[in-house]
Amino acid sequence: MKQKTEGKHEKTDAAPDIIVITGLSGSGMSSATNAFEDLGYFCVDNLSSTMLPTFARLVTAEQGDKGIERAALVIDIREGGFLADFGEQLAALRAAGLRVYVLFLEASDDVLQHRFSETRRPHPADKGQRLLQAISAERSAMSRVRSLADQIIDTSEHTVHTLRSHLLERFSPDRKGGPMRVQVLSFGHKYGNPGDLELLFDVRHLPNPHFIPDLKPLSGHDKRVVKYLRAQPEVEETLNRFCDLLYYLLPQYKREGKSYVTVGIGCTGGRHRSVMVANALGRRLRRAGFDTHVVHRDVRKSNRHRSG
């Protein structure tokens, strides 16, 4: 069992005055900007960090003076040499009493390469070298900004739609008092751990249907696999213990202001045990009153790998 967060502090009840969207090219900054526009933020792309004090005066102005209630600013590698001033400008904004939240988006090298190859757009840090070298150079150049982030989101497993949903849930100004959403995500460790989990449960200790010839080609959705696993006493014991912990932890997360919690359930291939356990946990959490949905990341990968 593993608990993972990447953030210096949890959100406060008050929405930020300014959200700085930053990170690696191809990690979803444009999608994040669109989500904040939908939340009513005044969004500015590629604002020079040297302009932050001037822009901040618009945010601090009274509404009758045509001030901006809240803003989201994109600051990225296009800043070039001005990136070195980011920390100083950020400290000045906070010293002026503004609530500034820095959101840093990133993804794995493989995912970033794939996204750029799909769009056929040049990488902004490309100086005639290979794409992977440009990604590495940007990752190094942005490391100081990353160290100042309040939250880091790895978007490797996100689509445009899931990233948007994730940001709307976490940053909606009226999220206080609303139902906390719980995502139960099954996956296979052999394909890499998901990047943005609050909790991770490993179920590789359970009997593996992969070694039962009649069950191997099936998935954890199949009633025959479910029946086999339900017959193993350690499966029910594991479910009970996971639920006891979640029934305790989830209300604590909600009390601290979290509106979205992702619980990862991992087995070796993400096809049998993790799928069955995730489905069972989802049903139990819904019966307990939690707004829960279940996602299976890798359940179809085994078939694709065999056919390939």
Side-chain angles (χ1 to χ4, degrees):
M1 181 177 61
K2 174 185 175 185
Q3 184 173 354
K4 177 181 178 180
T5 60
E6 281 209 66
K8 295 180 181 177
H9 50 73
E10 296 295 334
K11 302 184 296 294
T12 62
D13 289 339
D17 298 310
I18 297 176
I19 291 179
V20 177
I21 303 168
T22 185
L24 304 182
S25 304
S27 63
M29 287 182 283
S30 295
S31 298
T33 304
N34 293 336
F36 283 111
E37 282 185 344
D38 291 342
L39 287 171
Y41 283 79
F42 182 90
C43 296
V44 180
D45 185 23
N46 196 25
L47 182 75
S48 171
S49 61
T50 58
M51 295 295 295
L52 281 174
T54 301
F55 188 83
R57 287 197 286 272
L58 295 175
V59 179
T60 55
E62 295 295 330
Q63 292 301 302
D65 296 330
K66 298 182 180 180
I68 297 170
E69 183 178 357
R70 52 184 180 269
L73 312 174
V74 178
I75 295 177
D76 56 27
I77 192 65
R78 292 172 292 177
E79 274 280 86
F82 292 121
L83 283 173
D85 300 325
F86 178 75
E88 180 181 344
Q89 301 292 353
L90 178 63
L93 292 181
R94 288 173 171 163
L98 285 168
R99 295 184 298 271
V100 184
Y101 194 93
V102 180
L103 178 67
F104 191 97
L105 305 182
E106 61 183 23
S108 68
D109 287 351
D110 289 344
V111 168
L112 293 176
Q113 287 187 90
H114 178 69
R115 289 175 181 171
F116 272 98
S117 65
E118 278 192 329
T119 61
R120 298 186 179 180
R121 292 174 51 238
H123 193 283
D126 189 356
K127 297 181 179 178
Q129 74 272 52
R130 294 189 308 161
L131 176 57
L132 185 58
Q133 291 174 314
I135 292 171
S136 177
E138 181 183 34
R139 201 181 290 277
S140 176
M142 297 299 292
S143 61
R144 172 59 180 162
V145 176
R146 186 184 189 276
S147 70
L148 298 171
D150 295 288
Q151 184 178 1
I152 299 167
I153 298 179
D154 187 326
T155 67
S156 299
E157 302 300 334
H158 278 289
T159 66
V160 170
H161 305 293
T162 60
L163 178 60
R164 168 187 162 81
S165 176
H166 183 82
L167 294 174
L168 292 180
E169 288 285 348
R170 289 181 178 245
F171 290 96
S172 176
D174 59 357
R175 67 188 179 274
K176 186 180 179 182
M180 184 177 70
R181 297 195 67 194
V182 181
Q183 175 178 270
V184 182
L185 172 68
S186 78
F187 69 95
H189 286 281
K190 67 188 290 185
Y191 302 114
N193 291 359
D196 191 25
L197 300 175
E198 276 70 38
L199 292 162
L200 190 158
F201 295 113
D202 191 333
V203 295
R204 286 176 291 185
H205 65 287
L206 299 178
N208 194 350
H210 176 82
F211 298 111
I212 309 297
D214 291 341
L215 302 181
K216 181 177 178 179
L218 307 176
S219 78
H221 295 303
D222 193 283
K223 62 183 180 181
R224 289 163 287 183
V225 174
V226 173
K227 181 179 179 180
Y228 167 78
L229 288 171
R230 287 287 188 188
Q232 316 301 318
E234 55 264 60
V235 172
E236 188 68 19
E237 178 71 14
T238 295
L239 282 169
N240 289 337
R241 289 177 180 262
F242 284 177
C243 283
D244 285 344
L245 183 58
L246 289 171
Y247 294 157
Y248 169 74
L249 286 178
L250 292 177
Q252 309 302 318
Y253 281 130
K254 180 174 173 58
R255 186 189 65 189
E256 291 301 310
K258 294 187 73 67
S259 60
Y260 196 97
V261 171
T262 300
V263 181
I265 310 294
C267 65
T268 303
R271 182 167 176 79
H272 297 108
R273 294 167 290 180
S274 63
V275 172
M276 179 269 175
V277 170
N279 285 337
L281 279 180
R283 287 191 295 270
R284 292 191 184 194
L285 290 173
R286 282 190 289 269
R287 286 198 298 267
F290 295 100
D291 181 8
T292 306
H293 64 289
V294 181
V295 177
H296 303 290
R297 192 190 74 177
D298 300 326
V299 67
R300 294 185 177 88
K301 285 185 178 177
S302 295
N303 276 344
R304 290 204 300 268
H305 280 251
R306 281 199 296 270
S307 63

